[in-house]
Amino acid sequence: MKESKILAKVKEYGADGALLLVAIVWGLTFYPVQQAVEENPVYLFLFWRFLCATLLMALLVWKQLRKIDGASVRGGMFLGLFLFLGFAFQTFGLTYTYSSTVAFITGLNVVIVPFVVFIFFKKRATLYSSMGAITAAIGLYLLSAQGEISAGLGELYALICAFMFALQISFTAHYVKHCNIYVLVVVQFAVVTLLSLLGAITLDGSIMPVRFDGIFLEAIIITALFATVFAFFVQTAMQRFTTPAKTAIIFTMEPVSAGIAGYFWANEIFNTMQLLGALLILSGILIAELGTYWRTQRETKKAML
């Protein structure tokens, strides 16, 4: 019994480390995506990104797709819907307010996730996860927000976006315990591809990029391979071993990673408040991880008595 608990905690720490790598990858791909969407509409870009990711993922796991089942398909459809709506409302928000404001409100999914998990699955977040989430949220504000945040349409869209990403994280943790993770990922990608296609046709007016070479092609390859196939498969697989609350906290590293990439690739500079925000995000992750460690130590001592 004791060995099984230790093994479970080792898996949890390993999963947290893998999810941290996912957040870093997402942050590092922010700059090439930003360059690509300067010339091409967002839904057009999402369509090609997820189309390539769907085909690649299906090719890599086609043997596992033979075990397709209704529950996994339904789960993948829900996750794909949440993911697409997150991207969609984030894009709508960007048309009405500052990108820094949208980034901060989107990041608030870190404090929304524990409520979603409690409402739908009746599971409470630990004290350390709650403290880590609040600390990371404050860090996000310092890192991303500029000036005052109003209560306009852009902020409302960004808040809906945050709820959608919170739902995607929370329900991923639920479905991975009952479904085929390969089917979950492929169906999720396919749903985002289809909905992005509809968005590109109806809102962008085309599915063909301005140029199918250079920056656009590089961004598609990078995001499809690393930020989509690798990142979402790792997220789906690793959420079997950790909690949705910790996953959301770890994902707050994405803007920190994006800032570091911007510093080296685009000569962007962190000001003092942003540096403090980055440190608070790191502190939030550390609080959540130390909470897991201390809880393990207490359980081990009780088992020895």
Side-chain angles (χ1 to χ4, degrees):
M1 187 71 176
K2 178 181 175 182
E3 290 182 357
S4 63
K5 286 185 176 181
I6 293 175
L7 180 60
K9 290 303 176 183
V10 170
K11 288 182 178 179
E12 183 176 352
Y13 291 132
D16 293 344
L19 291 170
L20 180 61
L21 180 60
V22 167
I24 292 171
V25 167
W26 279 336
L28 292 178
T29 58
F30 184 85
Y31 181 66
V33 169
Q34 188 178 44
Q35 286 188 305
V37 297
E38 285 180 356
E39 292 186 350
N40 299 278
V42 172
Y43 293 110
L44 183 153
F45 178 80
L46 286 176
F47 166 69
W48 286 104
R49 169 184 170 177
F50 278 91
L51 175 64
C52 293
T54 302
L55 296 175
L56 178 58
M57 191 71 196
L59 181 63
L60 290 174
V61 302
W62 69 273
K63 290 184 179 180
Q64 299 294 332
L65 296 181
R66 295 176 181 176
K67 303 174 183 177
I68 193 169
D69 62 280
S72 298
V73 171
R74 288 191 296 272
M77 291 175 67
F78 274 113
L79 296 180
L81 178 62
F82 295 147
L83 187 60
F84 172 77
L85 289 175
F87 282 125
F89 279 103
Q90 187 176 61
T91 304
F92 293 149
L94 287 169
T95 63
Y96 289 98
T97 190
Y98 299 110
S99 60
S100 56
T101 300
V102 173
F104 165 64
I105 297 176
T106 299
L108 286 180
N109 70 75
V110 70
V111 293
I112 297 173
V113 164
F115 293 101
V116 171
V117 172
F118 178 72
I119 291 170
F120 286 96
F121 308 112
K122 307 305 178 186
K123 294 180 180 179
R124 295 181 182 274
T126 66
L127 174 62
Y128 294 109
S129 291
S130 299
M131 291 172 58
I134 293 171
T135 303
I138 295 171
L140 277 168
Y141 175 76
L142 297 177
L143 182 66
S144 305
Q146 300 291 333
E148 296 183 1
I149 296 178
S150 61
L153 194 58
E155 285 76 12
L156 175 61
Y157 286 151
L159 186 60
I160 296 174
C161 161
F163 271 101
M164 291 300 108
F165 286 142
L167 287 168
Q168 195 271 346
I169 291 172
S170 302
F171 275 84
T172 294
H174 170 72
Y175 286 128
V176 293
K177 297 174 182 176
H178 311 286
C179 300
N180 182 322
I181 63 172
Y182 303 99
V183 175
L184 275 178
V185 174
V186 172
V187 173
Q188 181 176 192
F189 289 174
V191 168
V192 178
T193 301
L194 177 60
L195 294 176
S196 297
L197 173 63
L198 295 176
I201 293 173
T202 58
L203 300 176
D204 299 339
S206 173
I207 63 170
M208 295 306 297
V210 176
R211 288 194 301 271
F212 221 130
D213 58 4
I215 293 174
F216 181 83
L217 186 59
E218 290 175 5
I220 290 296
I221 293 172
I222 292 171
T223 56
L225 183 59
F226 298 106
T228 309
V229 171
F230 168 77
F232 283 104
F233 179 75
V234 170
Q235 179 200 351
T236 305
M238 292 300 104
Q239 280 201 244
R240 292 176 294 176
F241 308 115
T242 191
T243 65
K246 284 180 68 178
T247 300
I249 293 170
I250 291 167
F251 282 172
T252 58
M253 267 297 294
E254 179 184 354
V256 178
S257 175
I260 294 172
Y263 174 82
F264 285 104
W265 296 342
N267 298 316
E268 297 176 359
I269 303 297
F270 279 113
N271 60 37
T272 303
M273 296 302 289
Q274 288 174 316
L275 286 172
L276 178 59
L279 289 174
L280 284 174
I281 288 173
L282 292 171
S283 298
I285 295 172
L286 186 60
I287 289 170
E289 290 299 323
L290 287 176
T292 299
Y293 173 77
W294 290 328
R295 190 171 66 251
T296 303
Q297 292 296 100
R298 287 197 302 270
E299 292 173 353
T300 302
K301 288 180 180 179
K302 287 182 180 179
M304 294 176 64
L305 294 176

